[in-house]
């Protein structure tokens, strides 16, 4: 019942409310975006707004929190972008997303990162178990996919039990990137290569065969009619303009 | 058998039964006194054991709450090493709880039924705790693997499965413990009393039997001896034809036989004088045996001559009284008298001796040492055939022990065990006498009902041992305040009653009551704790306020409640209009019924703001009753009464309608989205007209989905969960947003709430208020926020009053805030002004 209500009534209501709040604008759409793609999606959005009379709102959180918020009714959005297949399946099961509308245009890679000024060097993956590394930051495996991938890689290579006591989790990737940038020389973090800012550098690439393939999944929420603002933007970001932006941000767009 | 005994020697006739019975009673008495002693010791053990077990149960309750807080902290911790530390604390706490578990109970030997129900509870508690720890352990392990999500879900399931059960069993156990102590005490008391009675019965019957046997034997011997004497006098007068039959073969029988032969000889010739002389010697021998029996008897025996001068006493007498024969020979037994025996008793005694030659009864005598003691006396008068008194024989038993036991029972029945004051029972009998006396002498009585203020608080916070010490001290201070002749009683918990007797007028009563208040309000020192307490006193006067005990006590009680209402630490006299006060409640109900028609209710609105940005997103509507005489009355006062007298449906419908009407007005002037919250009482939630009312109101005022929020308490959904879920689902279909009010005060868990179609949790002000003081509360607060988000719910914190609380809640990502820090509840116009400004004013530290 609740899903029906949000499918039909919420967009209508949102439009009515927005129309009265921002009388000058014709339309407004809201994107629920996995944290790791937040910057790139905003860049694509900015290009889109140049040519369209529309306002775009961005909700950047971990994929799991977004999924639960949308399903619980606390978050209302038009398009959902997840950093893992698991949370998109959760949405499909919840009836919030039509399975045939889900696309997966981009992929990503995990790296071991350190503060830009850190002299730390990893000769091999197993160096994580040595005294050189005191703290390893990863995402919360429960809600942040990049944390789940990191845990899977550590388990797959058999060092999870040895390094467990060095682990500290963070809720989402921007938080991890910030914290890592302010850390000491014995701290490393496992994160998407696209989230390395100029305050961080990669010290070891994670072998992609150690974890399931990292793909992003995107779908419109509910069943928007073709020709609405949301579906027009969906096509834009799924098409060439989106591909170019993601490629230049370092994402894998070959899939 | 009896005949065979009579044929034995006198010595055996006396000693065999006496020794047998004496030994039997002695053993019986020793045996039962020993049991009595054990019962008293067992009674002591019951109290001590009970205390320890109660303390342990309270400890378990506290530690389980701590354990819950710790496990939630573990789940919200992100670093492994911090989790390790918390895990160690968890294990310590778990050990503490398991150590404090009540073990197998060692029921006192005399309690035959060891309350198997309670053991079952103990067993259940241990099982529930072990399963709770076991399953929580699994959640903790998941958490340590950084699988927080799965751990959250498991933990909330485990909590809802076990915690309410554990808390329920613990409180059941505490209740049982209290019952146990009471039951064991009763059983032990009745066993002790029974033993006491048996001991006394054996003592008395043993002593009585001894006396009876001694009496029978002595009586038999003296009767036969005096018959023999009469006969021998006849013989000596030369009358040999007098017949004599003696049917026993004991010494007296032999004597008779010899005398008969002597008589034969005398009748034949004086020449047989030698034979007669021999026979006389055997008489002396018999008397010697008799004297031995007398001397060696366990009973104290005293013999006086016909003029009541002491002629002999035995060793047992010397042992009992301390007097040697030489000291008192020739004196009157009066010198033994202690002065505590009434002259009536003596008069009765002499009358009985005169009439029946026998008397027995209780006398208070004095020992040589001067010590007074009670004794049981049996006195026989020995007379010659003409009825002339020959001598008196008296035997005594010391009954001090029996007396002391009787006095103890008497005390227990009439006095309060803790304070030694009169108990309720004897208060009533003493009051009855006092009323009779006052009626006869045309005097007055004052009944003071004294109740300690805050006693329950002291008892709860400092422990009941301190509470008991306080009561003892209060009792002694009360006694110091009144005369010896006045009555002071404790009739329950912290309730004392004083009765001032024989008053000519009541002028001095207020002064005395004032003194009592001053005296009781002096600080108390118990176990190095210094604290204050004060009394509230209600006073009723005989005969003005009642002429019987019940009425006087009831009216002084009413006056005492009045004193409490007047702000405690004062005294109040009973007046007729206090009786009227209870009728006022009826009046209140009547006014409440008509208040709606008279338009006396008003809604106030309190702003709810976004944690980030501080702008208003909603208003909570709060009802007030603008009473024409009493001024503003808050909902706490009248909503419970409205629920009782069934006007809550109309009142509730009015509130929903009024709040929505106001919302419709605001929507015309403001462009910002706004939500209005209305509280729903439990009765309203269960009403079958609720859905229709809400639907109509929403249509009439064009309220859209999400604009109306109804708040219900956790407990309202719990009385009939199925009906609650049905009603809430229907409200949800109408587009009403639903919130759980006062979350955290009940036992419900998030897992249970998951079944309800709710959107919002309102964190109770009690938790928010303690954020700065109580680490556990702060942690429960922040874990609740995290768990609620996990279920996709919004969280509103109520009662936010300081910036520290706001910062804490913002840091832990609470969605919305409400409280005096932003705005107090204000009338609609002021609320409208706030909305126009969009931001709630920051009434920060200045408003506190």
């Amino acid at each position: 019942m609740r899903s029906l209500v949000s499918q039909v009534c919420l967009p209508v209501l949102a439009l009515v409310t927005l129309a009265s709040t921002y009388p000058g604008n014709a339309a407004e759409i809201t994107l629920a975006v996995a944290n790791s793609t937040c910057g790139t999606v905003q860049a694509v959005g900015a290009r889109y707004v140049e040519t369209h009379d529309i306002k775009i709102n961005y909700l950047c959180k971990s994929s799991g929190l977004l999924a639960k918020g949308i399903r619980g009714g606390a978050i209302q959005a038009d398009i959902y972008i997840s950093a893992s297949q698991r949370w998109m399946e959760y949405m499909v099961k919840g009836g919030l997303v039509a399975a045939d509308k889900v696309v997966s245009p981009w992929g990503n890679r995990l790296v071991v990162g350190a503060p830009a000024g850190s002299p730390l060097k990893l000769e091999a993956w197993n160096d994580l178990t040595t005294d050189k590394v005191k703290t390893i930051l990863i995402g919360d495996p429960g809600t942040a996919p990049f944390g789940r991938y990191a845990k899977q890689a550590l388990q797959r290579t058999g060092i999870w039990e040895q390094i467990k006591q060095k682990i500290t989790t963070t809720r989402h990737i921007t938080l991890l990137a910030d914290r890592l940038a302010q850390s000491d020389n014995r701290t490393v973090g496992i994160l998407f290569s696209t989230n390395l800012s100029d305050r961080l550098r990669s010290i070891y690439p994670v072998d992609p065969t150690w974890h399931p393939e990292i793909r992003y999944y995107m779908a419109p929420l509910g069943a928007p009619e073709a020709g609405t603002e949301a579906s027009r933007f969906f096509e834009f970001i799924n098409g060439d303009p989106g591909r170019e932006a993601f490629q230049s941000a370092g994402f894998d767009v070959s899939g | 058998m009896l005949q065979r005994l009579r044929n034995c020697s006198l010595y055996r006739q006396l000693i065999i039964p006496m020794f047998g019975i004496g030994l039997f009673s002695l053993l019986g008495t020793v045996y039962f006194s020993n049991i009595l002693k054990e019962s008293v010791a067992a009674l002591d053990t019951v109290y001590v054991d009970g205390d320890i077990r109660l303390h342990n149960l309270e400890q378990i309750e506290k530690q389980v709450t701590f354990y819950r807080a710790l496990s939630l902290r573990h789940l919200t911790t992100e670093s492994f090493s911090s989790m390790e530390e918390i895990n160690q604390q968890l294990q310590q706490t778990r050990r503490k709880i398991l150590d404090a578990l009540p073990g197998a109970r060692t029921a006192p030997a005399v309690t035959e039924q060891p309350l198997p129900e309670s053991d079952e509870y103990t067993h259940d508690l241990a099982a529930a705790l072990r399963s709770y720890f076991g399953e929580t352990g699994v959640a903790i392990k998941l958490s340590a693997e950084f699988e927080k999500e799965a751990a959250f879900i498991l933990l909330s399931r485990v909590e809802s499965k076990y915690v309410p059960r554990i808390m329920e069993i613990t409180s059941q156990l505490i209740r049982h413990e209290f019952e146990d102590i009471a039951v064991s005490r009763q059983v032990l008391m009745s066993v002790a009393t029974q033993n006491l009675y048996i001991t006394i019965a054996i003592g008395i019957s043993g002593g009585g039997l001894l006396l009876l046997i001694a009496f029978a034997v002595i009586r038999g011997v003296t009767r036969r001896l005096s018959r023999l004497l009469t006969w021998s006098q006849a013989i000596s007068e030369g009358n040999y034809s007098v017949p004599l039959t003696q049917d026993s073969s004991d010494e007296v029988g032999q004597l008779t036989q010899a005398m008969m032969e002597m008589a034969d000889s005398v009748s034949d010739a004086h020449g047989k004088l030698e034979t007669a002389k021999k026979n006389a010697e055997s008489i002396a021998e018999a008397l010697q045996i008799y004297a031995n029996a007398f001397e060696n008897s366990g009973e104290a025996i005293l013999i006086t001559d016909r003029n009541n001068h002491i002629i002999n006493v035995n060793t047992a007498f010397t042992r009992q009284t301390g007097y040697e024969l030489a000291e008192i020979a020739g004196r009157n037994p009066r010198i033994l008298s202690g002065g505590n025996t009434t002259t009536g008793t003596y008069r009765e005694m002499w009358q009985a001796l005169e009439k029946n030659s026998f008397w027995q009864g209780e006398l208070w005598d004095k020992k040589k040492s001067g010590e007074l003691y009670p004794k049981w006396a049996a006195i026989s008068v020995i007379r010659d055939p003409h009825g002339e008194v020959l001598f008196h024989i008296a035997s005594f038993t010391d009954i001090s022990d029996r007396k002391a036991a009787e006095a103890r029972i008497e005390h227990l029945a009439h006095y309060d065990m803790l304070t030694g004051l009169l108990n309720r029972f004897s208060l009533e009998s003493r009051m009855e006498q006092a009323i009779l006396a006052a009626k006869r002498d045309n005097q007055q009585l004052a009944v003071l009902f004294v109740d300690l203020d805050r006693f329950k608080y002291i008892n709860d916070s400092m422990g009941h041992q301190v509470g008991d010490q306080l009561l003892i001290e209060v009792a002694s201070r009360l006694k110091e305040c009144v005369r010896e002749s006045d009555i002071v009683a404790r009739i329950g918990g912290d309730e004392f009653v004083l009765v001032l007797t024989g008053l000519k007028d009541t002028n001095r009563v207020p002064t005395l009551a004032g003194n009592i208040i001053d005296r009781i309000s002096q600080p108390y020192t118990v176990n190095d704790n210094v604290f204050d307490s004060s009394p509230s006193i209600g006073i009723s006067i005989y005969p003005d306020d009642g002429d019987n005990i019940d009425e006087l006590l009831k009216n002084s009680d009413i006056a005492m409640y009045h004193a409490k209402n007047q702000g405690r630490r004062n005294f109040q006299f009973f007046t007729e209009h206090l009786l009227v006060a209870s009728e006022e409640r009826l009046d209140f109900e009547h006014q409440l019924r008509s208040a709606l028609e008279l338009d006396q209710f008003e809604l106030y609105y309190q702003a709810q703001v976004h944690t980030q940005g501080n702008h208003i997103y909603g208003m909570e509507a709060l009802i007030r009753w603008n009473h024409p005489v009493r001024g503003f009355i808050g909902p706490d006062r009248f909503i419970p009464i409205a629920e009782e007298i069934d006007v809550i449906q109309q009142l509730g419908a009015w509130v929903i309608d009024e709040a929505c009407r106001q919302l419709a007005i605001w929507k015309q002037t403001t462009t910002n989205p706004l939500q209005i919250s209305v509280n729903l009482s439990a009765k309203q939630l269960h009403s079958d007209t609720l859905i229709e009312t809400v639907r109509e109101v929403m249509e009439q005022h064009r309220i859209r989905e999400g604009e109306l929020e109804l708040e219900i308490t956790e407990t309202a959904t719990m009385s009939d969960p199925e009906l609650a879920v049905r009603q809430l689902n229907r409200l949800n279909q109408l587009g009403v947003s639903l919130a759980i009010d006062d979350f955290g005060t009940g036992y419900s868990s998030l897992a249970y709430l998951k079944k309800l179609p709710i959107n919002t949790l309102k964190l109770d002000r009690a938790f928010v208020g303690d954020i700065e003081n109580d680490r556990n509360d702060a942690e429960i607060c922040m874990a609740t926020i995290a768990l609620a988000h996990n279920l996709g719910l919004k969280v509103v914190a109520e009662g936010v009053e300081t910036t520290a609380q706001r910062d804490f809640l913002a840091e832990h990502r609470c969605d919305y805030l409400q409280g005096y820090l932003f705005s107090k509840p204000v009338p609609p116009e002021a609320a409208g002004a706030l909305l126009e400004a969009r931001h709630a004013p920051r009434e920060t530290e200045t408003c506190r």
Side-chain angles (χ1 to χ4, degrees):
Chain A
M1 187 63 212
R2 178 185 289 238
S3 60
L4 195 70
V5 167
S6 44
Q7 276 171 35
V8 181
C9 304
L10 288 182
V12 177
L13 252 181
L15 285 177
V16 171
T17 325
L18 292 167
S20 55
T21 319
Y22 303 99
N25 281 358
E28 181 171 345
I29 57 173
T30 303
L31 311 180
V33 181
N35 243 315
S36 50
T37 62
C38 190
T40 315
V41 170
Q42 278 174 348
V44 176
R47 267 186 65 191
Y48 187 74
V49 171
E50 283 168 15
T51 54
H52 294 76
D53 184 14
I54 190 170
K55 182 177 188 302
I56 303 180
N57 298 319
Y58 304 93
L59 288 171
C60 294
K61 293 176 189 293
S62 72
S63 307
L65 274 182
L66 285 172
K68 286 184 180 176
I70 293 169
R71 203 162 145 175
I75 295 175
Q76 290 152 20
D78 300 292
I79 293 173
Y80 170 58
I81 298 175
S82 165
S84 79
Q85 196 171 6
R86 175 181 169 210
W87 292 113
M88 188 53 88
E89 275 169 3
Y90 172 84
M91 298 291 275
V92 172
K93 270 188 203 138
L96 295 158
V97 159
D100 56 352
K101 299 274 191 212
V102 178
V103 295
S104 176
W106 324 296
N108 211 338
R109 291 206 51 175
L110 279 185
V111 293
V112 179
S118 165
L120 187 65
K121 272 184 195 160
L122 286 191
E123 307 291 341
W125 176 248
N126 277 10
D127 284 359
L128 287 175
T129 62
T130 63
D131 287 344
K132 281 203 275 186
V133 178
K134 201 178 84 191
T135 307
I136 304 173
L137 300 174
I138 67 168
D140 175 3
T143 51
F146 77 100
R148 171 65 61 199
Y149 293 130
K151 186 177 170 187
Q152 282 165 336
L154 289 162
Q155 282 177 322
R156 173 77 183 271
T157 52
I159 60 172
W160 170 254
E161 289 302 328
Q162 291 172 61
I163 54 86
K164 198 160 76 179
Q165 64 274 14
K166 300 182 181 180
I167 294 284
T168 294
T169 59
T170 65
R171 281 194 299 278
H172 56 73
I173 201 156
T174 19
L175 208 60
L176 183 138
D178 279 355
R179 196 182 289 182
L180 185 59
Q182 292 162 16
S183 304
D184 59 22
N185 293 339
R186 292 172 67 193
T187 301
V188 300
I190 303 179
L191 70 171
F192 289 138
S193 63
T194 55
N195 286 83
L196 290 170
S197 62
D198 49 4
R199 294 157 70 200
L200 299 174
R201 63 185 183 87
S202 164
I203 55 171
Y204 195 87
V206 180
D207 186 332
T209 62
W210 290 343
H211 51 73
E213 189 183 5
I214 301 173
R215 296 298 301 172
Y216 289 88
Y217 296 83
M218 174 169 72
L221 288 164
E225 307 275 319
T228 61
E229 287 299 338
S231 66
R232 272 201 290 276
F233 180 76
F234 187 82
E235 280 160 22
F236 183 79
I237 190 167
N238 191 32
D240 289 342
R243 168 188 292 266
E244 281 164 25
F246 273 88
Q247 188 162 28
S248 66
F251 287 87
D252 169 17
V253 295
S254 57
Chain B
M1 174 76 190
L2 202 67
Q3 189 58 44
R4 244 170 64 194
L5 194 68
R6 293 189 77 170
N7 290 341
C8 293
S9 68
L10 279 175
Y11 171 74
R12 284 197 180 139
Q13 280 185 40
L14 270 173
I15 279 311
I16 291 172
M18 276 185 158
F19 187 74
I21 290 167
L23 194 67
F24 175 74
S25 341
L26 190 69
L27 286 177
T29 314
V30 168
Y31 174 71
F32 281 100
S33 342
N34 208 34
I35 289 184
L36 185 63
K37 211 169 77 192
E38 276 171 17
S39 317
V40 172
L43 194 62
D44 207 32
T45 321
V46 166
Y47 277 113
V48 173
D49 287 358
D51 272 354
I52 293 170
R53 285 196 298 271
L54 275 176
H55 174 79
N56 281 347
L57 286 169
E58 280 159 12
Q59 201 56 30
I60 288 176
E61 264 185 335
K62 222 157 69 188
Q63 292 293 340
V64 167
T65 310
F66 183 56
Y67 187 84
R68 290 177 67 192
L70 275 177
S71 56
L72 286 171
R73 203 194 306 168
H74 192 282
L75 264 59
T76 50
T77 302
E78 292 179 331
S79 121
F80 190 84
S81 53
S82 313
M83 286 196 283
E84 289 279 79
E85 279 166 31
I86 296 168
N87 200 19
Q88 275 177 4
Q89 277 177 288
L90 274 169
Q91 278 165 5
Q92 277 167 12
T93 314
R94 190 165 60 207
R95 266 200 302 280
K96 264 190 216 164
I97 295 172
L98 291 176
D99 286 350
L101 267 181
R105 299 159 52 77
T106 46
V110 282
T111 319
E112 283 170 9
Q113 295 160 322
L115 292 161
E117 204 184 344
S118 182
D119 276 347
E120 218 167 89
Y121 277 125
T122 311
H123 187 255
D124 281 1
L125 178 61
L129 279 170
R130 290 212 168 84
S131 318
Y132 171 58
F133 291 146
E135 294 187 28
T136 308
V138 177
I140 295 300
K141 225 171 251 167
L142 276 172
S143 170
E145 285 291 323
F146 295 97
E147 298 298 341
K148 302 293 184 188
E149 159 101 0
F152 271 134
I153 292 167
L154 180 59
L155 186 67
S156 53
R157 203 167 58 221
V158 173
E159 286 224 329
S160 66
K161 190 162 149 198
Y162 294 109
V163 172
R165 173 94 183 115
I166 289 169
M167 290 305 176
E168 190 199 311
I169 300 177
T170 314
S171 56
Q172 285 277 19
L173 274 172
I174 291 179
R175 205 161 53 242
H176 271 284
E177 206 48 65
F178 277 118
E179 280 169 17
D180 266 16
I181 293 178
V183 168
S184 310
R185 204 197 68 189
Q186 234 167 11
V187 171
L188 287 168
M189 278 298 285
S190 71
V191 169
T193 317
Q194 210 183 335
N195 283 333
L196 191 63
Y197 286 146
I198 294 177
T199 314
I200 292 168
I202 290 180
I204 292 177
S205 53
L209 265 173
L210 281 182
L211 281 175
L212 203 70
I213 288 169
F215 175 69
V217 172
I218 292 169
R219 189 73 193 255
V221 170
T222 48
R223 203 193 301 119
R224 281 186 290 158
L225 278 178
S226 57
R227 217 187 303 156
L228 200 59
L229 196 67
T230 322
W231 180 80
S232 62
Q233 269 169 359
I235 296 293
S236 65
E237 281 160 14
N239 185 1
Y240 298 113
S241 61
V242 180
L244 176 67
T245 47
Q246 294 278 38
D247 51 359
S248 75
S249 57
D250 63 5
E251 288 87 342
V252 180
Q254 288 165 12
L255 175 69
T256 312
Q257 202 63 42
M259 296 238 340
M260 278 159 75
E261 280 166 15
M262 181 187 76
D264 284 348
S265 313
V266 169
S267 72
D268 287 348
H270 279 279
K272 290 182 180 172
L273 194 64
E274 284 301 310
T275 326
K277 214 176 182 180
K278 254 180 206 165
N279 284 341
E281 274 167 8
S282 55
I283 294 174
E285 194 180 321
L287 281 173
Q288 182 58 44
I289 290 165
Y290 171 68
N292 276 341
F294 164 80
E295 192 58 33
N296 294 320
S297 163
E299 292 272 306
I301 301 176
L302 172 127
I303 303 177
T304 62
D305 63 12
R306 68 183 72 210
N307 298 320
N308 204 22
H309 290 139
I310 296 170
I311 52 175
N312 203 359
V313 297
N314 66 356
T315 5
F317 178 91
T318 308
R319 219 169 26 242
Q320 191 180 95
T321 63
Y323 286 113
E324 299 285 346
L325 175 61
E327 296 173 90
I328 50 170
R331 318 264 314 251
N332 189 300
R334 203 179 295 134
I335 58 155
L336 299 172
S337 139
N340 277 29
T341 315
T342 59
T343 46
T345 311
Y346 286 124
R347 198 160 46 235
E348 198 183 288
M349 176 179 93
W350 284 113
Q351 276 167 3
L353 289 178
E354 193 66 35
K355 209 169 141 201
N356 306 326
S357 298
F358 180 72
W359 177 85
Q360 59 179 346
E362 193 182 303
L363 294 175
W364 277 90
D365 275 4
K366 195 161 61 184
K367 295 185 182 177
K368 189 182 172 188
S369 60
E371 180 195 339
L372 281 177
Y373 72 107
K375 64 186 189 185
W376 188 259
I379 305 175
S380 303
V381 181
I382 311 298
R383 298 171 191 276
D384 65 15
H386 307 295
E388 286 299 312
V389 175
L390 292 176
F391 43 90
H392 305 89
I393 300 178
S395 64
F396 307 113
T397 317
D398 183 339
I399 54 172
S400 312
D401 291 349
R402 194 186 89 198
K403 278 299 215 187
E406 279 172 359
R408 171 88 183 128
I409 289 174
E410 170 86 1
H411 190 84
L412 286 181
H414 290 90
Y415 294 89
D416 173 37
M417 290 229 300
L418 179 66
T419 60
L421 297 180
L422 297 178
N423 59 16
R424 185 172 198 119
F425 170 71
S426 36
L427 168 69
E428 288 182 2
S429 69
R430 290 281 305 273
M431 264 181 92
E432 207 165 80
Q433 292 164 12
I435 289 175
L436 282 176
K439 192 177 274 176
R440 190 187 58 219
D441 301 339
N442 219 4
Q443 287 176 324
Q444 292 180 303
L445 296 177
V447 178
L448 278 68
F449 201 110
V450 182
D451 187 281
L452 292 185
D453 303 328
R454 303 190 330 126
F455 175 73
K456 193 180 153 11
Y457 169 77
I458 292 171
N459 215 18
D460 289 349
S461 62
M462 310 185 67
H464 63 90
Q465 279 159 335
V466 174
D468 285 353
Q469 288 303 314
L470 172 65
L471 290 175
I472 292 169
E473 177 62 23
V474 168
S476 96
R477 290 187 191 182
L478 281 176
K479 272 211 275 202
E480 287 165 18
C481 290
V482 298
R483 297 166 300 174
E484 190 75 8
S485 58
D486 293 329
I487 301 168
V488 184
R490 170 167 170 250
I491 60 170
D494 57 337
E495 295 175 334
F496 297 87
V497 169
L498 274 68
V499 182
L500 311 181
T501 57
L503 303 177
K504 294 208 171 44
D505 54 56
T506 54
N507 295 345
R508 286 202 56 250
V509 175
T511 324
L512 181 79
N515 286 346
I516 290 174
I517 289 175
D518 290 345
R519 189 82 182 82
I520 302 296
S521 305
Q522 303 286 322
Y524 294 81
T525 311
V526 176
N527 300 346
D528 300 334
N529 297 315
V530 178
F531 52 91
D532 290 318
S533 183
S534 59
S536 296
I537 302 179
I539 305 172
S540 64
I541 302 293
Y542 168 89
D544 302 353
D545 301 331
D547 58 0
N548 60 62
I549 297 170
D550 288 345
E551 215 170 333
L552 286 166
L553 284 178
K554 191 191 85 191
N555 289 345
S556 60
D557 189 22
I558 289 176
M560 186 276 289
Y561 271 101
H562 183 54
K564 287 237 180 231
N565 286 336
Q566 294 297 306
R568 303 168 183 220
R569 201 176 186 275
N570 71 100
F571 63 88
Q572 296 290 334
F573 278 91
F574 172 79
T575 60
E576 283 299 323
H577 75 252
L578 287 184
L579 267 187
V580 180
S582 55
E583 287 160 21
E584 265 182 24
R585 151 93 196 226
L586 287 174
D587 207 32
F588 190 79
E589 290 177 5
H590 177 72
Q591 289 171 351
L592 185 56
R593 279 181 210 280
S594 50
L596 205 51
E597 283 166 33
L598 296 174
D599 209 15
Q600 290 175 346
F601 291 109
E602 279 180 30
L603 290 189
Y604 272 48
Y605 297 89
Q606 185 172 32
Q608 299 173 321
V609 305
H610 279 282
T611 307
Q612 312 294 344
N614 203 36
H615 55 268
I616 298 174
Y617 90 97
M619 287 282 182
E620 180 174 359
L622 298 159
I623 189 169
R624 301 177 74 167
W625 179 7
N626 192 3
H627 192 280
V629 183
R630 301 175 178 211
F632 278 117
I633 302 177
D636 306 357
R637 290 276 320 277
F638 65 84
I639 291 292
I641 298 175
E643 285 204 314
E644 258 175 58
I645 63 174
D646 262 346
V647 298
I648 192 72
Q649 311 297 0
Q650 291 154 275
L651 189 58
W654 179 84
V655 174
I656 296 173
D657 181 67
E658 176 63 20
C660 289
R661 194 183 64 79
Q662 186 63 54
L663 177 63
I665 295 173
W666 281 333
K667 274 161 67 181
Q668 288 170 4
T669 55
T670 175
T671 51
N672 302 320
L674 180 67
Q675 184 182 62
I676 198 112
S677 312
V678 175
N679 291 291
L680 216 55
S681 84
K683 265 214 169 162
Q684 267 179 288
L685 178 65
H686 296 146
S687 144
D688 44 12
T689 59
L690 173 70
I691 305 298
E692 205 41 46
T693 307
V694 173
R695 187 205 311 281
E696 278 170 19
V697 168
M698 285 179 77
E699 269 171 26
Q700 190 193 342
H701 299 296
R702 296 163 190 263
I703 303 301
R704 290 186 301 229
E705 173 164 336
E707 287 184 334
L708 172 63
E709 179 163 82
L710 293 179
E711 298 185 2
I712 43 173
T713 58
E714 285 177 76
T715 37
T717 66
M718 306 253 264
S719 61
D720 184 351
E722 277 179 33
L723 178 62
V725 170
R726 221 162 37 237
Q727 291 281 75
L728 293 177
N729 274 326
R730 286 159 76 186
L731 288 172
N732 188 246
Q733 284 166 17
L734 289 179
V736 175
S737 171
L738 296 166
I740 291 288
D741 206 2
D742 303 339
F743 181 75
T745 49
Y747 272 131
S748 72
S749 65
L750 287 162
Y752 168 69
L753 294 177
K754 210 171 167 182
K755 295 182 189 152
L756 305 175
I758 51 167
N759 315 65
T760 310
L761 282 190
K762 296 197 78 176
L763 256 185
D764 189 62
R765 59 183 64 249
F767 282 116
V768 176
D770 276 347
I771 281 175
E772 294 159 75
N773 312 324
D774 190 327
R775 183 132 187 253
N776 281 348
D777 274 1
E779 273 171 2
I780 287 178
C781 233
M782 99 199 195
T784 304
I785 296 171
L787 290 169
H789 283 166
N790 214 273
L791 294 174
L793 301 176
K794 293 180 291 183
V795 181
V796 184
E798 292 181 283
V800 181
E801 292 185 357
T802 66
T803 46
Q805 290 164 1
R806 184 199 59 206
D807 294 344
F808 176 89
L809 289 163
E811 186 193 335
H812 292 96
R813 300 190 300 153
C814 181
D815 303 84
Y816 306 110
L817 306 174
Q818 178 180 352
Y820 275 38
L821 182 62
F822 309 100
S823 162
K824 59 185 182 187
V826 291
E829 304 73 41
L834 285 180
L835 285 173
E836 270 170 42
R838 189 146 191 251
H839 284 267
R842 279 271 178 89
E843 293 184 41
T844 51
E845 281 74 7
T846 49
C847 77
R848 282 170 55 82

